[in-house]
Amino acid sequence: MRRLLPLGALVLLAGCAGIQSSNGRDGTHGALIGGLFDKFLWTTVVVYLFVMVLLALAIVHGRDNRRGNAGLQGEPPVEAEHGWRSGLTAFAGATTLILAVLAIATWFTDRSLARASANPALEVEVTGNQWWWDVRYKDPVSSYIVHTANELHLPAGRTTRITLKSVDVIHSLWIPNLAGKQDLIPGRKTALELHPLHTGRFRAQCAEFCGMQHAHMALDVSVDDPQAFSTWYAAGLKNPPIPTGGQALAGYLLFQTLQCSSCHNVSGTPASGQIAPDLTHVASRRTIASGTLPANHDGFAAWVQDPQQAKPGNHMPKVPLSPAELAAVTAYLETLR
Ligand code: CUA
């Protein structure tokens, strides 16, 4: 048991730091909610300790009384009853006051959250799918829309409004370092505002059980400085070059003729499927399959060879490929930067 205690503490503290921290203060919303959490935590700690001290005093006092044989026999003296009455009135008053202070603090935090959410500089539509995230940066001009999957880039110091929807079941987007959770509900639109305070890389996770691969539904979040964000955005608007020879060209032709192109979109090519993640710049991402594998040669090869191995139950079928074809498709995917 003694050995288990530090282990338990370690598991609890593991949630307090890093790229996926439920105690994250890396966004205005997270920091405001965290500040309110601190107020509640320390108030209740003080109240708890106070009650425990009173309980200890009562136990000691009761024991002394029994030793002195006073016990609980007979009526208590009148002064003692008056003392109890004023004591209880004071306690009721203090409880009401503490609850009122916490309610007022909650109200002020709520107002500050509303202010931080106002006037978003950017709007992104995130759609939940079993089990990946479709990400679309909105713009009135369709050629300025950046479409990606399983990654979210945000400019630091700006407010971004994320509109959320789902095509199948209820999911929940949770970027704990930046803000609280928001559900993605089929047939309904919800929204979540984010205001990252500094640059960094964070991991978001689907926070609503949505089926077999719920745990493999992560979102890679990058907060860039505004300049780097603009560079990333501009790159996202460009089409990747079509291979002109070698394995990559063979892979490109296979990609267009096999069923890949009916599910996946690669801008600037005939592949325009919309039911699976957009692959236009897949090689520039850090992960594929919603954080399941790295977006590199080995990750692509392992995924294409057997998608059901790494993520059983996902909707990508295994396409039978010879080793040469697999190498070609992998080489093509690596060019999608
Ligand atoms: Cu999507 Cu859990």
Side-chain angles (χ1 to χ4, degrees), residues 67-271:
R67 275 205 201 111
N69 217 7
L72 291 170
Q73 292 149 6
E75 291 287 316
V78 180
E79 315 87 68
E81 204 172 315
H82 276 306
W84 275 110
R85 199 169 291 168
S86 1
L88 285 174
T89 313
F91 278 137
T95 306
T96 312
L97 186 72
I98 289 169
L99 288 176
V101 167
L102 290 177
I104 292 167
T106 307
W107 186 84
F108 275 109
T109 303
D110 187 57
R111 292 297 82 210
S112 304
L113 284 169
R115 269 198 301 280
S117 302
N119 307 319
L122 187 69
E123 202 166 331
V124 186
E125 187 178 77
V126 172
T127 308
N129 295 260
Q130 282 175 319
W131 292 276
W132 59 280
W133 306 92
D134 184 79
V135 178
R136 204 179 281 266
Y137 289 77
K138 289 194 170 176
D139 196 280
V141 183
S142 63
S143 55
Y144 286 128
I145 291 174
V146 166
H147 188 197
T148 180
N150 299 327
E151 64 167 348
L152 182 65
H153 282 252
L154 300 168
R158 309 254 165 95
T159 301
T160 301
R161 166 172 259 247
I162 315 277
T163 46
L164 301 161
K165 49 184 199 149
S166 169
V167 295
D168 37 49
V169 298
I170 300 177
H171 303 271
S172 179
L173 178 62
W174 191 28
I175 315 171
N177 292 67
L178 300 183
K181 300 170 186 174
Q182 183 60 273
D183 279 359
L184 295 85
I185 302 163
R188 250 178 82 173
K189 271 197 180 174
T190 49
L192 174 72
E193 282 83 15
L194 302 169
H195 186 271
L197 293 166
H198 54 82
T199 60
R201 186 202 164 185
F202 307 108
R203 184 181 188 275
Q205 171 63 40
C206 179
E208 177 81 33
F209 181 72
C210 54
M212 198 174 174
Q213 290 297 337
H214 156 70
H216 280 145
M217 193 166 166
L219 179 68
D220 186 26
V221 180
S222 294
V223 179
D224 313 321
D225 64 69
Q227 189 70 44
F229 175 78
S230 302
T231 309
W232 173 82
Y233 200 92
L237 292 171
K238 289 195 190 120
N239 294 337
I242 290 173
T244 49
Q247 263 191 331
L249 176 63
Y252 168 78
L253 295 171
L254 281 166
F255 192 93
Q256 303 300 334
T257 46
L258 297 172
Q259 56 261 58
C260 318
S261 58
S262 52
C263 296
H264 293 284
N265 177 68
V266 178
S267 296
T269 77

Side-chain angles (χ1 to χ4, degrees), residues 233-322:
Y233 200 92
L237 292 171
K238 289 195 190 120
N239 294 337
I242 290 173
T244 49
Q247 263 191 331
L249 176 63
Y252 168 78
L253 295 171
L254 281 166
F255 192 93
Q256 303 300 334
T257 46
L258 297 172
Q259 56 261 58
C260 318
S261 58
S262 52
C263 296
H264 293 284
N265 177 68
V266 178
S267 296
T269 77
S272 56
Q274 296 293 324
I275 60 165
D278 185 289
L279 298 182
T280 307
H281 298 290
V282 68
S284 67
R285 296 178 204 153
R286 278 186 285 244
T287 68
I288 55 167
S290 236
T292 310
L293 290 170
N296 58 21
H297 176 87
D298 293 346
F300 292 139
W303 181 255
V304 176
Q305 186 178 30
D306 188 359
Q308 298 302 319
Q309 176 81 31
K311 201 167 169 178
N314 85 84
H315 299 314
M316 175 157 161
K318 181 178 174 175
V319 181
L321 294 173
S322 70

